[in-house]
Amino acid sequence: DLCDLHLRRFGETTGTSWSREKLSDALLNDEGVRKCWIDFLGKRLIKLGEIIGRTVHTVNSKIVVGMMVPSVHPLPVMGHTVKNVLKAFQPAGKPLVRPSIGPYSDRDRRQIIPGLFYIEFIGHLLGDNTQYTPEIETTPFSRFSKSMTVVRFHITQGILNRMNNPAISPCGYVGDSPYFEPAFAELLKDNRDYFEGVRKIAPKRGTRKGIQFIWDFDSAKETPRRIENVEELFWPAFTCHDILGNLGFPVTYDESPV
């Protein structure tokens, strides 16, 4: 998806005239061009973040501009480190983050472990000095897409990762009532003691034990090889986490002797 503006601006950056076909081929086969392209995308995101943050703070300096962190395994090819975009949004104070926590429905329980990757990795990356509001989403916003058992489980995932302020979406985005699904309110009321109990035993960051994943944020830029598809540049830890987690092995991003 290369628009004319991106092609022209990237050409100015690299001193080369690019067609869509020529650049697409170079991104797969030339690690030097690929590195420039990833940095180019990152700079655009930072600039957009600065514009958004400045615009909001011009209206009200007390508003905290946060970031909805997407599925994180493709982050290496986006050209940013999450932290620099957060800084662009909110130059001062604690950053506000809404990490992805997993699927919006519970039709595929195998997605539980990939969801853990997203929330565990972001917590490891950003640490304790961050406001976390993990997403608790359903589609199309009722017990028929995600059972209250799974909603309870996802809230528990966040609390176990010391993210105690879940962002729950009990209704849709078209003005329907938050009481459309009354089971949400009942769930929260009936499980308050349980959630408080989980919060008290949640492990501190840096204390996890298991198979440690080694990763490098700049791995996509530093890969000196031809690739067949951009997904080859995604973090392999994502797939390893999925496989090992579903096999029952504990894994971690913290220091571990395993």
Side-chain angles (χ1 to χ4, degrees):
D1 295 330
L2 305 172
C3 76
D4 293 336
L5 178 60
H6 276 78
L7 285 171
R8 185 170 69 251
R9 189 64 59 84
F10 190 61
E12 295 170 357
T13 301
T14 58
T16 302
S17 178
W18 296 99
S19 66
R20 286 172 175 77
E21 294 74 19
K22 181 180 177 181
L23 180 54
S24 295
D25 182 71
L27 293 177
L28 296 179
N29 299 300
D30 187 328
E31 62 268 21
V33 174
R34 185 188 306 145
K35 183 174 182 176
C36 288
W37 177 254
I38 292 173
D39 286 336
F40 174 77
L41 293 179
K43 290 176 182 177
R44 304 280 75 74
L45 284 172
I46 300 304
K47 191 67 176 178
L48 285 170
E50 291 173 348
I51 293 171
I52 293 169
R54 184 169 60 250
T55 301
V56 173
H57 294 138
T58 298
V59 177
N60 187 338
S61 61
K62 294 182 180 180
I63 293 177
V64 178
V65 182
M67 181 179 181
M68 168 65 195
V69 181
S71 302
V72 295
H73 54 288
L75 279 180
V77 300
M78 295 181 182
H80 67 84
T81 63
V82 180
K83 294 180 181 179
N84 52 9
V85 177
L86 285 170
K87 191 71 174 178
F89 278 148
Q90 190 69 31
K94 271 190 176 184
L96 175 64
V97 175
R98 184 172 184 252
S100 174
I101 199 171
Y104 287 6
S105 68
D106 58 10
R107 65 183 179 273
D108 185 357
R109 301 296 170 87
R110 290 176 300 176
Q111 294 181 343
I112 288 172
I113 300 299
L116 276 172
F117 169 83
Y118 301 146
I119 198 167
E120 290 180 9
F121 179 79
I122 284 297
H124 172 81
L125 181 69
L126 300 178
D128 289 323
N129 193 35
T130 300
Q131 301 179 70
Y132 294 102
T133 60
E135 62 165 355
I136 312 297
E137 289 276 17
T138 62
T139 302
F141 307 99
S142 77
R143 74 188 80 185
F144 296 104
S145 58
K146 183 186 284 185
S147 69
M148 293 304 107
T149 299
V150 176
V151 171
R152 181 177 185 264
F153 173 74
H154 279 160
I155 294 173
T156 303
Q157 278 183 243
I159 296 173
L160 281 171
N161 282 277
R162 305 181 77 82
M163 300 180 183
N164 303 322
N165 186 29
I168 302 169
S169 297
C171 58
Y173 302 129
V174 291
D176 46 332
S177 168
Y179 299 103
F180 174 73
E181 177 49 271
F184 272 109
E186 296 167 8
L187 168 78
L188 298 174
K189 179 181 67 176
D190 295 342
N191 286 276
R192 175 62 183 266
D193 290 343
Y194 165 74
F195 292 139
E196 286 290 352
V198 174
R199 182 182 64 81
K200 291 176 181 177
I201 64 170
K204 293 183 179 179
R205 300 193 192 284
T207 65
R208 293 182 182 277
K209 303 298 180 185
I211 298 172
Q212 181 188 356
F213 292 129
I214 308 299
W215 55 275
D216 180 352
F217 217 109
D218 289 328
S219 59
K221 293 194 295 185
E222 304 304 328
T223 301
R225 62 183 176 89
R226 297 177 63 180
I227 61 174
E228 298 294 331
N229 188 291
V230 68
E231 291 187 8
E232 293 183 36
L233 300 175
F234 293 176
W235 277 321
F238 172 70
T239 304
C240 292
H241 192 137
D242 189 9
I243 295 171
L244 293 171
N246 275 300
L247 287 172
F249 289 97
V251 299
T252 183
Y253 301 91
D254 300 329
E255 290 294 325
S256 172
V258 184

